[in-house]
Amino acid sequence: MTIYEFITSRGVLTDAHRQDLKTKRGFTDETIKRNRFFSGGQYLLALEKELSEKFKPEDLLEAGVFLKKADKFHLDPILMDDRIVIPYLNREGLCTLLRPHKLGLKKVPIQIYQPFNIIEKAEDDISRGGLIITEGEFKACAGWQMGVSCIALPGVASYSGKNYDDLITFLNEFKIRKICLIFDNEIKDDPKLANYKPDVMDRYDTQYYSYLMAKLLNKSGFETLVGTIPDSWRVQGKIDIDGALAQGKTSADLNGICRRALTPKEYHENLDKEAQEVVKKKEAKRFFRSHVKVDFGRYIATRFNGKREWDEPISNFTLKIIATHERVDGIVRELRFVNEFGKSAPFFAISAEEMAGNDSFKAFCLKHGNFVWKGRNEDLSTIWEYEFLTDPGRHIIEPDCIGWLPDDKLWMFGNVAWGPDGELRPDDHGIYWTEKCGYKPMALAVQSNKNNVVSEGMPYLTLNQSNMVELRAKLG
């Protein structure tokens, strides 16, 4: 008996956790029993002595269930948390890994959840060799309860890199040929919802990894589509497979998602414009190769001369594009510099001309502080290329007028704006933020001729009631 199997065989599921699995996840008692869920808690401390006697200390440490402190071995405290512990079961239903919900045992490699969910099909069954891949163990169990083979990855990105070959081995072992990826459907661009992400580059990880994994698996010879749970099923901006099961959705509903699933290309084309752009940026970043890296707060360029290779420091700082300002006379970018000692400088506005040339950029750096640039043109171009791929998407429009902006369907003044998003108030920097971008009103200049500015100012809109009789009298 393995360490994990020993603990699982002694685990007990509390009534509270059982009820949670039934109401929140939609699980039946059969599903709960089959998957051998149990509760963490102080009662597991009673196993500590027995585990020490039955297994070697080094094996308990390697399994992650014991920790060592001051030459003493003890049970990992996370197993005693009040949370459900999820056993990973092999084809025979024996435990090969334990994972407290949303946590992981220290220094223990991840696994695919789980071979026990592969449903045997008859040779002539049209669904033989088909599989749903999702994220999170409870969702895989929900898929199984709906009657399909469904496995889970412990994170949408977890098997897209160094662990990818393990996934391919798993799929080939069980003769899987057709795959439907179904991850969560969640809104992350609405500030009113709990999982709102202010940085646009953080909003579409699920869409990106759905698209990427489908492309990778297709390239590896698997017929792979991406399924999307209907928006209408969302609760508070989110829906997943176990949430759908808890709503009373059936195998017919899940099969409907699979029938409507799209190829990677179709899936990308059906995303909204913002999501499409972020997904493509993330894909380009994944395959971006650079001879410039960041080390100890500086940019380091790798140089070559024949077979000789060396690293050369080319700055005493790093930079980040914070926002892009769209003005009538062109694009200006807002930069943040951080020196090699970790001290951040105020934001600086840099023009296209200052970005484009090595000498002009060197002068820009010295103009704004003790920032030294020693790189070449190709080094600078590489840095800008990478920054454009990681640009947070804070786009700010600075129109050349105040009042009605017809292209944006927005009324804007110095103190208030109205648009499709309703009434807007400026932030501390005078910027009005909509769901997609920001608007910054600029001071207007009144000129007597081409060279002399008589006055300048920002029109404000008064929200107070006005006495027209008094106003007429004051105007004479």
Side-chain angles (χ1 to χ4, degrees):
M1 180 180 289
T2 67
I3 295 169
Y4 299 130
E5 178 61 26
F6 177 83
I7 297 174
T8 301
S9 66
R10 305 296 183 91
V12 177
L13 186 67
T14 64
D15 291 340
H17 283 159
R18 179 179 296 275
Q19 190 59 31
D20 182 71
L21 290 171
K22 286 183 172 183
T23 57
K24 189 176 179 180
R25 313 289 176 181
F27 292 168
T28 62
D29 282 320
E30 178 193 357
T31 297
I32 294 170
K33 180 180 179 181
R34 179 184 186 274
N35 288 283
R36 305 178 68 186
F37 301 124
F38 64 93
S39 301
Q42 292 295 318
Y43 77 95
L44 291 175
L45 267 176
L47 301 180
E48 198 170 65
K49 182 179 179 182
E50 198 171 350
L51 283 165
S52 298
E53 293 172 349
K54 192 174 183 65
F55 301 98
K56 296 178 181 178
E58 57 268 26
D59 293 337
L60 291 166
L61 288 174
E62 186 178 359
V65 299
F66 267 36
L67 300 178
K68 184 179 181 181
K69 186 175 182 181
D71 294 327
K72 292 184 179 181
F73 298 92
H74 60 88
L75 197 66
D76 190 332
I78 68 169
L79 289 170
M80 293 175 278
D81 286 350
D82 182 25
R83 65 176 69 236
I84 297 172
V85 180
I86 303 168
Y88 279 51
L89 307 179
N90 62 16
R91 288 298 291 143
E92 290 71 40
L94 299 176
C95 184
T96 61
L97 178 68
L98 291 176
R99 197 168 94 96
H101 187 220
K102 294 185 179 294
L103 297 176
L105 298 175
K106 192 174 182 180
K107 297 182 179 179
V108 176
I110 61 174
Q111 289 185 19
I112 296 168
Y113 184 87
Q114 59 183 346
F116 202 46
N117 277 18
I118 305 296
I119 299 174
E120 292 291 345
K121 303 285 186 179
E123 288 290 344
D124 58 349
D125 192 322
I126 61 171
S127 63
R128 180 177 174 82
L131 178 72
I132 290 176
I133 298 180
T134 188
E135 176 206 4
E137 300 92 346
F138 292 146
K139 297 158 195 178
C141 290
W144 177 89
Q145 187 171 310
M146 290 180 175
V148 299
S149 293
C150 187
I151 63 170
L153 311 179
V156 291
S158 58
Y159 279 82
S160 64
K162 65 179 183 179
N163 297 313
Y164 181 72
D165 288 344
D166 294 338
L167 176 60
I168 299 304
T169 300
F170 181 99
L171 297 174
N172 286 331
E173 179 183 350
F174 293 101
K175 298 180 173 56
I176 302 299
R177 304 286 11 124
K178 294 180 291 185
I179 299 168
C180 185
L181 299 172
I182 304 179
F183 295 137
D184 296 359
N185 179 345
E186 185 174 8
I187 300 172
K188 296 183 179 179
D189 63 353
D190 187 344
K192 297 186 291 293
L193 296 174
N195 287 325
Y196 169 67
K197 302 292 185 184
D199 189 335
V200 68
M201 293 300 290
D202 294 334
R203 294 175 185 169
Y204 302 103
D205 283 356
T206 299
Q207 290 86 340
Y208 166 62
Y209 284 106
S210 296
Y211 171 73
L212 175 67
M213 289 296 291
K215 284 186 68 174
L216 291 175
L217 288 167
N218 277 328
K219 189 175 181 180
S220 296
F222 300 91
E223 182 184 330
T224 310
L225 301 174
V226 181
T228 302
I229 305 175
D231 296 348
S232 59
W233 297 6
R234 290 183 190 135
V235 177
Q236 296 181 338
K238 180 180 178 180
I239 188 62
D240 45 32
I241 297 178
D242 53 336
L245 180 63
Q247 290 179 13
K249 305 302 181 187
T250 65
S251 58
D253 296 309
L254 188 58
N255 286 331
I257 294 173
C258 294
R259 286 195 302 271
R260 294 187 297 272
L262 305 173
T263 65
K265 183 175 183 294
E266 293 169 336
Y267 176 74
H268 181 261
E269 291 172 347
N270 274 267
L271 296 174
D272 65 41
K273 186 176 179 181
E274 183 179 81
Q276 284 185 11
E277 182 178 350
V278 171
V279 166
K280 279 300 184 183
K281 274 188 175 182
K282 286 180 175 290
E283 184 180 32
K285 180 185 174 184
R286 175 185 174 90
F287 297 105
F288 180 75
R289 297 294 177 265
S290 173
H291 70 285
V292 178
K293 62 184 178 182
V294 174
D295 188 41
F296 292 103
R298 306 172 297 170
Y299 288 114
I300 306 292
T302 302
R303 304 297 190 207
F304 300 91
N305 185 359
K307 293 183 178 180
R308 193 166 71 93
E309 176 183 327
W310 70 98
D311 287 341
E312 178 179 291
I314 56 174
S315 76
N316 65 348
F317 66 89
T318 60
L319 61 83
K320 184 72 180 172
I321 296 177
I322 301 302
T324 300
H325 294 251
E326 181 183 331
R327 298 175 178 173
V328 176
D329 57 346
I331 297 292
V332 172
R333 292 171 179 86
E334 200 172 342
L335 297 184
R336 180 179 65 204
F337 278 31
V338 179
N339 68 20
E340 60 186 322
F341 306 111
K343 186 177 179 180
S344 179
F347 296 164
F348 305 130
I350 186 169
S351 67
E353 292 75 18
E354 291 167 320
M355 293 174 66
N358 213 42
D359 291 337
S360 59
F361 180 68
K362 184 182 296 184
F364 175 88
C365 294
L366 293 172
K367 177 182 176 182
H368 289 91
N370 297 329
F371 302 112
V372 178
W373 172 254
K374 299 183 290 184
R376 304 171 183 173
N377 278 324
E378 59 266 28
D379 303 331
L380 187 58
S381 296
T382 299
I383 291 171
W384 293 135
E385 186 178 357
Y386 180 79
E387 284 300 312
F388 294 156
L389 292 177
T390 57
D391 182 354
R394 284 173 57 88
H395 188 78
I396 300 167
I397 298 172
E398 298 181 5
D400 62 344
C401 63
I402 296 292
W404 176 242
L405 307 179
D407 292 342
D408 306 290
K409 296 181 174 54
L410 184 76
W411 283 98
M412 184 175 67
F413 299 92
N415 59 333
V416 68
W418 284 275
D421 295 330
E423 182 179 326
L424 304 172
R425 293 287 180 171
D427 64 12
D428 294 340
H429 303 286
I431 301 170
Y432 298 99
W433 289 102
T434 68
E435 288 187 3
K436 300 299 181 184
C437 65
Y439 292 87
K440 185 174 184 178
M442 303 303 292
L444 301 181
V446 179
Q447 298 180 329
S448 60
N449 54 49
K450 291 184 178 180
N451 299 315
N452 299 320
V453 177
V454 174
S455 64
E456 61 179 16
M458 179 85 68
Y460 277 62
L461 187 68
T462 179
L463 302 179
N464 299 323
Q465 289 186 341
S466 300
N467 186 315
M468 298 305 296
V469 175
E470 291 183 5
L471 182 62
R472 190 181 300 114
K474 290 179 178 179
L475 292 175

